[in-house]
Each structure stands twice: as C-alpha cells, then as structure tokens.
Amino acid sequence: MAKDSKSLMIQGTSSHVGKSVTVAAICRILKQDGYSVCPFKSQNMALNSFVTVSGGEMGRAQVVQAEACGLEPEVFMNPVLIKPVADTRAQIIFMGKVLKNMSAAEYDGKKKIFLDKIKELLDDIKSKFDYVIIEGAGSPAEINLLENDIVNMRTAAIAGSPVILVGDVDKGGVFASFYGTVKLLPTVFQKYIKGLLVNKFRGDVSLLQPGNDHIAQKLGIPVLGTIPYFRDIHIEEEDSVNLEKQQEKTDFISRSRVGKADGKIVIAVIYLPHISNFTDFDALEHEEEVNLIYIRNAADLAALEPHLIIIPGSKSTISDLIYLRESGIEKEIKRQYSKQTSVIGICGGYQMLGHRVTDRFKSESKSTGSIKGMGLLDIVTDYLKEKNTYQIEFDLKEGSRGQFGFFCNTLGDSSGGNGQYGKMKGYEIHMGISKVIGPGNDLMPLFDISRRGDEETIMDDGLLRLDRENKKMVMGTYIHGVFDNYIFRRTVVAVLKTFHNIRSGPGDSHIRSYDDFKQSQYDSLADLFRENMDMDLFYKILKSGV
C-alpha cells in the first residue's frame, strides 16, 4: 500500500449499514481539521437525486457528503447513477446525463466500460484535494457480482485506498457479517480492509467489547470504534425512508387526533411505490408545529384525516397513478379534498393531479400509454424524450402572493405579505411538460421561475386554487426543494393554521435557514464519530494505509 494514500474507502457488510452517513461524518471531521476533502461514489442506485449547477443529475447521498465537505455538488462525485424504473430495468445516468434504460443483465455486462472514467476521475480528485473519501455500495462480498464490480473492491484497487468495513450491530449478527464479508473476498482484496467499524449500537458499549476484541483477533483487523444509534442528529436519507422512522410514524396514526388537539398541523405524504426525492419534505418534518407522516394505504389515510395531503415525485408516474387508483388511495384523497383537506403535488404528484398523463415515447412507462389523472388541477402532461434538469430561482407570482399574504397577515405571521417575499431556490427533474387547459377564475399560476444559465427568461410554474370559503387549497409544482425555503414553507403552514383555526403555542420555533440547520447537524455528526472512534488509529489508516 502506498504511503499517504490520499484516499479512504468506506464499505459495508450489506446495504443500509450506514456507509453514506459514515462518509459524511469523516468528510466533516477532515474539513474541521483543516483538510480539503471530496466525496466519491462511482455508482449509486437511488431515486433520490439532485441537479447540479451545470444541470447534471447525481445521487443525493453525495450531495449530503459534498455539503459536509463545504463543496458545491458536482457530477464527478457520482459518475454513474442508476434509477430503477421497474424490478429489472433502470435508467442509467452517466456524468449527469441520461445514457439509456437497461435491463439489470444488460447493465451488468456493460458497466466495466466505466472503469477508465472512474480511474480518471479519482486521479483528478487526488490532484486537487488532500483526501478523497470513497463510498462503496451494498456489500463487497456479493460474489455473483465480483467479476464486473466497479463500485467496491475494484474501486479501492484503482484508488490504492485502504478500506474501513462498516457493520450494523442493530440488525444482529454483526461479527458473523464482518467475518463472512472478509473471508468471502478473494485474498487479493482482503488486504485492503484495514479497520472495522461497528455502527448503530444501543446500550452499554462495554458489553460489546469482548466481541470487538475477538473479531479483531480472529481477522487480524482492528475495530476502529462503536458508533451509537442516534435519533437526535438529522442527516438526509439516501434512497429510502428509514423503516424504523416509518414504523414510529405509522404508530402515531392512532394518536393523530391528539396531535391535532395539541395544535399540530398533520401532513400526510403518500408513500408511492416509486417515490423519489422524499427529502423534499425533511424541512417540513423539522417544523415544531407539524406532524408529518408517510402513508402507504387508504385505510391509514382515512384514519388519519390530515390537514394536508402531499403527493410526492415519482420515477414511474403512470405506474404509481395506477397504484393509487387500484389501492383506493386516489378515491380517499378525493373524498378528503371534497371536505376540508388540502392537497399538494410535487413533480410527478403534480402531474397526477391533472386531467391526463401521456407517455407516447415510452420515456417512463413500458408501453405507449395515456392515463386519466385525478382531475383536481386543469393541466394535461405529455412526456418527451429529453429530461429537464435545472437549478432554478423562483418567487410567488403576484396573484398567489396576494392570496397567501392575506392569510399570513390574518394570522400575524411575518413569513408572508408586507413585501417579505423574495427569491427562493430549488431544482427541476422531470420528463413531462404540463399545459394548462383552461383554468377558471379561481385557478392561478403559482410561481415565476428562472433557470440557471437563462436568468433573463421568466416562466410560470405550478398552479394554485385557494378556496377560502371551504377552507382548503390544491396546488402543484415541478420544483423540488420547494419546502427548504423558509418563506414558502411558513406560508403554507400559515394558510393551514388559518383554515383550521390553529394558534401557535409559546414554545413554537422555526428553522429560518434550512442550510444552516443542516450544517449544524454535520458538526454534531462529526462530534459523535470523534467521540466513539479511535482517532489515532483512524489517521494512521488514512495517512499510511496501515
């Protein structure tokens, strides 16, 4: 192993052991210690994606890691992004642009073509930064995938990088997972693993120490530390909503009416089979006045009766709309909207709220298809061959600003009205183009937007219908990250509070800057890892590969 390897790789005994969070923590530690550091993951599979300044698409896990490094996210940090569109097919995105849809077998046979580019990128990153922290995917011991691997041990070999192997003790069997992972690897790859890291431990760490000592002796690889299970540090999830969090939220349903009685706004996000960019709602979840719950079936939605239903983005809009229809969720959404529940659709969810979605070029659906929408907004959507990926700035149009300002001023909330609206930021990722087909007087465009690189051109985005008499609203937008913006987030909260006569308690507080909040969480994450890792051993592995 070369001295001062300039790289460190984090691999895991399986998926969901905490690789992404570990990379973010190490990136933040190195930044705090004065080093320039960059994250890298050669191949990521996720429906949660982001658009860079240049309009390229990349996985959000590397966006989180870039933020922890203090860097602007760029596609070279995640050159290959796989977005599943069905159980055996996926959209392959290379260096930020759609390459094509492939079957799993086709992709596995062709993915080694990316190895030269991966080496080129790693060499370039090493020349520009003190360190690169590389994330693996799944497990390096997936022996059926070893021959064509481009994301685990072959990447470590290309980078000449020592590897820290992370295991999830909360699942059980962590020591067997460590041992099995190492011993299943070819000998040539075993030598790269220089440390073991136990993650998600609950309880007295002294009870785990005999196991740590034994596995270190058995494998001849030291245990770097034991990271406690945490709930009070908020880091955006990578590619699925945390299952435990989901269970806690599901359990909350039985107490939802108590939540309303306590002055909380209850928001239900529909958990679509192909849900994408669910991080759109993280900022809402951190509002003290909000209880945000993910819903998977019509019965839970009926039991909850939330103040607001959000239909999120989807990688397979037509398929997910069929799911909503066949599961009874669409019927329940319409029933609740007919009463006093508001509805918001984001991206694919916005398209579903219209009258029709058509995919004549098979951009997303398996076959040419056209499907009737929910009919709550007067739009029709046509899918094109090319994807729209832009960073944008936006603000409320004058008409919607006036409508929202009324509610904010009525409530005495400074988030709206009185000239307090200004430019907000977000991004677009969508294949479809939606057209208005004759809105009534009560339906108005929602935002003025300008795309990065074409700031002079102002376009409309979204639609809004505010029904003051019946105390409900329906709106849709293509903008991802819309709720990250304090002004818009607080405006929606203010409208819902007015509709349902909810008053803030004396303890209510709001996150004004979601970016500042995230930065504070990265610092807390770094502190947690520092306190529970052998930092001398960490730096020894990092700097010498020993």
Side-chain angles (χ1 to χ4, degrees):
M1 187 71 65
K3 296 294 182 181
D4 195 14
S5 65
K6 295 199 70 170
S7 63
L8 178 68
M9 189 166 191
I10 304 300
Q11 297 188 22
T13 56
S14 71
S15 298
H16 308 299
V17 299
K19 295 185 293 292
S20 297
V21 169
T22 299
V23 170
I26 290 172
C27 285
R28 192 60 162 202
I29 287 171
L30 293 175
K31 179 180 185 296
Q32 290 173 339
D33 289 352
Y35 297 101
S36 62
V37 57
C38 179
F40 182 83
K41 185 170 185 175
S42 57
Q43 171 193 287
N44 200 350
M45 180 181 287
L47 290 178
N48 231 20
S49 61
F50 176 81
V51 174
T52 66
V53 171
S54 62
E57 194 173 356
M58 63 183 288
R60 284 203 66 95
Q62 282 60 66
V63 174
V64 167
Q65 294 158 3
E67 290 174 349
C69 295
L71 300 176
E72 181 72 33
E74 297 187 58
V75 295
F76 69 77
M77 300 171 184
N78 173 214
V80 181
L81 176 62
I82 303 172
K83 302 188 79 170
V85 295
D87 289 343
T88 60
R89 290 188 65 79
Q91 184 181 79
I92 309 302
I93 295 169
F94 178 59
M95 294 301 292
K97 300 300 180 185
V98 175
L99 189 61
K100 62 179 295 189
N101 284 4
M102 294 187 188
S103 69
E106 180 185 8
Y107 176 69
D108 187 59
K110 293 183 177 180
K111 63 185 179 183
K112 288 175 74 173
I113 64 174
F114 299 124
L115 283 174
D116 287 344
K117 186 63 176 182
I118 289 168
K119 184 180 187 307
E120 175 190 328
L121 292 171
L122 282 168
D123 288 344
D124 188 54
I125 294 170
K126 284 185 173 185
S127 72
K128 295 176 180 177
F129 294 88
D130 294 327
Y131 294 104
V132 53
I133 308 302
I134 308 167
E135 181 184 346
S139 164
E142 302 290 354
I143 53 179
N144 57 311
L145 300 177
L146 280 177
E147 182 181 354
N148 295 320
D149 167 50
I150 66 169
V151 69
N152 285 311
M153 282 302 175
R154 191 165 278 109
T155 299
I158 288 172
S161 176
V163 172
I164 292 174
L165 184 64
V166 180
D168 180 357
V169 68
D170 193 53
K171 292 179 179 177
V174 69
F175 300 120
S177 297
F178 281 140
Y179 188 83
T181 298
V182 174
K183 291 302 182 181
L184 277 173
L185 287 171
T187 305
V188 67
F189 288 147
Q190 289 183 24
K191 67 181 182 181
Y192 286 94
I193 301 178
K194 300 301 180 180
L196 308 174
L197 184 64
V198 179
N199 196 23
K200 303 183 186 179
F201 181 69
R202 311 181 197 227
D204 184 348
V205 72
S206 66
L207 299 177
L208 192 68
Q209 196 58 46
N212 287 353
D213 293 341
H214 184 74
I215 196 66
Q217 183 180 29
K218 191 81 172 173
L219 291 174
I221 302 171
V223 175
L224 188 62
T226 300
I227 307 301
Y229 193 102
F230 62 85
R231 288 190 178 90
D232 56 346
I233 302 172
H234 304 284
I235 306 297
E236 289 183 350
E237 299 284 348
E238 180 186 16
D239 58 357
S240 64
V241 181
N242 183 279
L243 294 178
E244 289 185 63
K245 184 188 295 184
Q246 285 307 300
Q247 188 59 53
E248 292 170 4
K249 293 294 186 181
T250 300
D251 292 344
F252 176 78
I253 290 175
S254 62
R255 308 193 302 275
S256 61
R257 295 182 188 279
V258 175
K260 291 180 180 179
D262 288 344
K264 298 284 188 178
I265 295 166
V266 178
I267 299 177
V269 178
I270 306 300
Y271 196 106
L272 301 170
H274 302 94
I275 186 173
S276 65
N277 291 75
F278 55 82
T279 48
D280 285 343
F281 316 115
D282 280 13
L284 268 177
E285 192 165 10
H286 296 310
E287 287 283 333
E288 286 192 8
E289 296 167 294
V290 170
N291 280 321
L292 188 139
I293 301 165
Y294 286 85
I295 294 292
R296 295 174 182 264
N297 58 68
D300 285 347
L301 184 59
L304 186 63
E305 292 191 350
H307 300 114
L308 170 66
I309 297 170
I310 298 178
I311 307 174
S314 168
K315 186 64 190 75
S316 297
T317 301
I318 290 178
S319 174
D320 282 353
L321 181 53
I322 292 171
Y323 161 78
L324 293 183
R325 193 154 288 157
E326 293 180 347
S327 67
I329 295 176
E330 178 192 26
K331 182 178 180 181
E332 184 59 30
I333 291 171
K334 289 182 174 181
R335 185 191 72 81
Q336 294 198 24
Y337 177 69
S338 70
K339 294 187 175 181
Q340 205 177 7
T341 297
S342 296
V343 179
I344 295 177
I346 307 292
C347 198
Y350 173 36
Q351 296 168 351
M352 293 181 200
L353 290 176
H355 289 282
R356 184 159 294 277
V357 180
T358 302
D359 186 6
R360 69 189 68 199
F361 299 111
K362 305 181 185 179
S363 301
E364 275 196 1
S365 54
K366 292 181 181 179
S367 60
T368 303
S370 182
I371 186 171
K372 181 180 178 182
M374 295 186 187
L376 298 185
L377 288 175
D378 295 328
I379 59 170
V380 292
T381 299
D382 287 302
Y383 274 69
L384 306 179
K385 293 181 179 180
E386 300 297 324
K387 183 183 291 189
N388 289 287
T389 55
Y390 300 96
Q391 283 194 4
I392 63 167
E393 287 190 339
F394 66 98
D395 56 24
L396 288 162
K397 292 190 73 69
E398 184 176 351
S400 55
R401 183 187 309 153
Q403 292 282 348
F404 281 139
F406 169 83
F407 287 97
C408 295
N409 293 335
T410 299
L411 192 65
D413 192 313
S414 62
S415 57
N418 300 322
Q420 303 240 358
Y421 290 102
K423 290 288 185 182
M424 296 175 276
K425 295 182 179 180
Y427 56 100
E428 296 178 73
I429 309 175
H430 56 96
M431 302 289 288
I433 300 296
S434 297
K435 297 179 180 179
V436 178
I437 55 171
N441 294 330
D442 61 339
L443 195 63
M444 63 189 72
L446 183 57
F447 297 120
D448 284 322
I449 71 167
S450 61
R451 290 169 170 169
R452 191 73 173 256
D454 186 18
E455 285 79 5
E456 299 301 317
T457 302
I458 305 299
M459 298 175 287
D460 289 346
D461 171 84
L463 285 175
L464 166 69
R465 175 180 286 120
L466 266 169
D467 187 344
R468 296 189 192 183
E469 181 179 353
N470 294 300
K471 298 183 178 180
K472 62 184 179 182
M473 63 180 168
V474 58
M475 74 170 79
T477 176
Y478 273 115
I479 300 173
H480 291 291
V482 65
F483 290 111
D484 289 2
N485 296 276
Y486 173 80
I487 291 172
F488 182 74
R489 185 173 71 250
R490 290 303 306 163
T491 295
V492 170
V493 169
V495 172
L496 292 171
K497 287 167 67 176
T498 303
F499 279 160
H500 298 281
N501 196 29
I502 297 172
R503 296 293 166 180
S504 300
D508 289 336
S509 62
H510 318 304
I511 300 170
R512 280 195 169 270
S513 170
Y514 189 53
D515 287 338
D516 289 348
F517 172 76
K518 288 192 290 185
Q519 292 299 320
S520 72
Q521 300 306 295
Y522 298 141
D523 286 334
S524 296
L525 183 68
D527 291 345
L528 181 74
F529 273 69
R530 282 185 191 275
E531 292 166 5
N532 294 282
M533 286 198 310
D534 182 336
M535 292 304 296
D536 290 336
L537 176 58
F538 165 76
Y539 268 110
K540 185 179 181 182
I541 294 171
L542 175 71
K543 293 190 174 184
S544 67
V546 175

